[in-house]
Amino acid sequence: MKLKTLSILIFGVLPAIALAAGDHAGGHGMDGHKMMPGGHDMSAMEKTAPASMTGKPGDPAKVDRTIEVTMDDAMRFTPDKISVKAGETVRFFVRNSGKISHEMVIGSLDELKAHADMMRKMPGMEHAEPNMITLKAGQRGGIVWQFDKSGTVDFACLIPGHMEAGMMGKVMVE
């Protein structure tokens, strides 16, 4: 019985507490941390995993264009549909015009849904990964992302209830 309790503590509770604690600077505290469906950290698998369908962090010195995105308390992104060219590196200049916190997270719909589920379980969690930005009311910030494959890439606010209220958008990569 003691071994089972210890196993649950080591493999179940402690990792969840560590993730929820973050680094008190607004993130999980894991630079380069990438989430896969089911909440698995893929940073250790990064070297062997195929390139993401959503793209990769872009080089800020090689930005092709800047796109302004506004988040608001109506649970909307403006614009919520964006067109880019495959290979293009985009700086998203993101502004929270609302009175509550919002975030922009770039990923596949499956990744976003899985991470939103995790956020419901740990609602105080914020992000510090290159495909995510969390902004308090009135704040501005940015994401630099390279869209390397044609297709559709999603983005959403994963603060509990926001994505469910429609705070989502799409990037069409041509």
Side-chain angles (χ1 to χ4, degrees):
M1 190 69 165
K2 288 182 183 179
L3 184 58
K4 182 177 181 182
T5 303
L6 184 59
S7 293
I8 291 171
L9 186 62
I10 291 172
F11 296 110
V13 177
L14 291 178
I17 291 170
L19 281 174
D23 63 5
H24 302 286
H28 293 298
M30 293 180 268
D31 292 336
H33 174 74
K34 296 185 178 119
M35 297 303 294
M36 291 178 58
H40 301 290
D41 178 1
M42 65 178 258
S43 56
M45 300 185 308
E46 202 170 311
K47 293 179 183 171
T48 59
S52 171
M53 292 305 293
T54 62
K56 62 185 177 186
D59 181 346
K62 297 179 180 177
V63 170
D64 295 306
R65 85 177 144 132
T66 298
I67 298 173
E68 293 188 30
V69 177
T70 302
M71 305 181 292
D72 63 42
D73 294 345
M75 303 301 158
R76 297 292 180 259
F77 289 98
T78 305
D80 63 354
K81 289 179 180 55
I82 299 168
S83 294
V84 302
K85 292 184 178 9
E88 190 171 14
T89 298
V90 175
R91 173 177 283 118
F92 291 100
F93 182 70
V94 187
R95 183 171 53 97
N96 181 353
S97 65
K99 294 182 178 6
I100 61 175
S101 293
H102 294 290
E103 63 185 16
M104 180 176 177
V105 182
I106 299 169
S108 71
L109 192 55
D110 287 342
E111 289 169 334
L112 294 173
K113 285 179 179 179
H115 205 133
D117 185 50
M118 185 170 54
M119 292 286 292
R120 280 189 293 280
K121 294 174 184 162
M122 294 182 270
M125 184 190 321
E126 292 181 354
H127 304 101
E129 293 81 11
N131 66 321
M132 308 175 173
I133 188 162
T134 302
L135 299 171
K136 293 180 182 171
Q139 284 187 322
R140 300 180 216 189
I143 298 173
V144 177
W145 200 252
Q146 183 178 21
F147 296 91
D148 50 5
K149 293 186 173 94
S150 60
T152 301
V153 176
D154 296 284
F155 60 94
C157 179
L158 302 184
I159 292 174
H162 293 205
M163 185 169 133
E164 295 81 0
M167 198 164 184
M168 300 173 64
K170 293 193 177 295
V171 178
M172 282 68 69
V173 185
E174 303 167 356

